[in-house]
Amino acid sequence: MASEFIPFNRPYITGKEQANIELALKGHHLSGDGPFTRRCHQWLGQHTGSARVLLTHSCTSALDLAAILLDLKSGDEVIMPSFTFVSTANAFVLRGAIPVFVDIREDTLNLDEGQIEAAITSRTRAIAPVHYAGVSCEMDPIVAIAKRHGLRIVEDAAQGILASYNGTPLGSIGDFGCLSFHETKNIISGEGGALLVNDPSLGLRAEIIREKGTDRGRFFRGRSTNTPGRTSVRRFCRAI
Ligand SMILES: Cc1ncc(COP(=O)(O)O)c(C=O)c1O
């Protein structure tokens, strides 16, 4: 019997998926960071201009990484729109921070940039604009506010791949951008995401945190003599 419901989404399939899965199987590399990850990093770097791209298991994981990289302390505040997916808030709440919800604009359903400054306190550390449905937030005023108050910006660009603001790709404007490749999005991998690290000085630290506190990435590039996964606790603490 035909379903009476209009499906929420239909995953977009290019037709090359099975052949590529077979290639991965033949290459005996089924975990991440193999040839396909490298191609994704390269493609995303080219299309976003971001200093460092790190594939993640989801946009939720990318937001978690960004929250760790912000080095938030309990009671710190992060400003975000009152209308978003739970992961935007959860990432910061899990680090002990307080989400400060600011109302959205009627026309774009995005964070109302005109209401941000009134929400800033001495505890505010970051702003997390969400580009709802790939429609850009007004980033120029948001960046200006962040600069004025010394705040970091984490763009939740889960829905915003290949969309732009005044010609700049979404996710590459703030300090960090978080993308989703969940099957409901425009480019998909079933579940998946990416962290765009736009501040080059944070690239290595982001890589170490993604590698569970080890310098595995550098080891495989031949830059470290540590055995991956054996990084001492002291080095781990310094890294994060
Ligand atoms: C705005 C927003 N942020 C974060 C996420 C989480 O993405 P993921 O499912 O890849 O973890 C979503 C997912 O729908 C989203 O819409």
Side-chain angles (χ1 to χ4, degrees), residues 41 52-72 87-88 90-92 94-95 154 175-179 193-197 202-213 236 239-240:
H41 283 172
R52 192 73 202 269
V53 180
L54 294 169
L55 280 193
T56 55
H57 303 118
S58 61
C59 182
T60 301
S61 310
L63 287 160
D64 287 340
L65 284 180
I68 294 171
L69 283 157
L70 287 181
D71 214 4
L72 294 169
S87 299
T88 321
N90 285 349
F92 304 107
L94 286 169
R95 309 303 303 166
V154 179
D175 300 283
F176 304 105
C178 303
L179 304 175
L195 176 70
L196 307 181
V197 185
L202 293 170
L204 181 60
R205 190 159 163 260
E207 178 186 271
I208 288 172
I209 290 169
R210 176 174 172 273
E211 288 292 2
K212 302 98 185 167
F236 171 76
I240 63 165

Side-chain angles (χ1 to χ4, degrees), residues 58-60 63 84-85 87-88 130 156 158-159 180-182 185 192:
S58 61
C59 182
T60 301
L63 287 160
T84 182
F85 188 68
S87 299
T88 321
V130 178
D156 183 337
Q159 308 173 12
S180 174
F181 305 124
H182 184 265
K185 305 302 188 299

Side-chain angles (χ1 to χ4, degrees), residues 211-233:
E211 288 292 2
K212 302 98 185 167
T214 74
D215 56 0
R216 203 164 180 255
R218 292 179 76 208
F219 178 83
F220 286 119
R221 287 195 299 277
R223 298 261 178 91
S224 165
T225 50
N226 279 323
T227 311
R230 302 280 184 276
T231 308
S232 73
V233 171

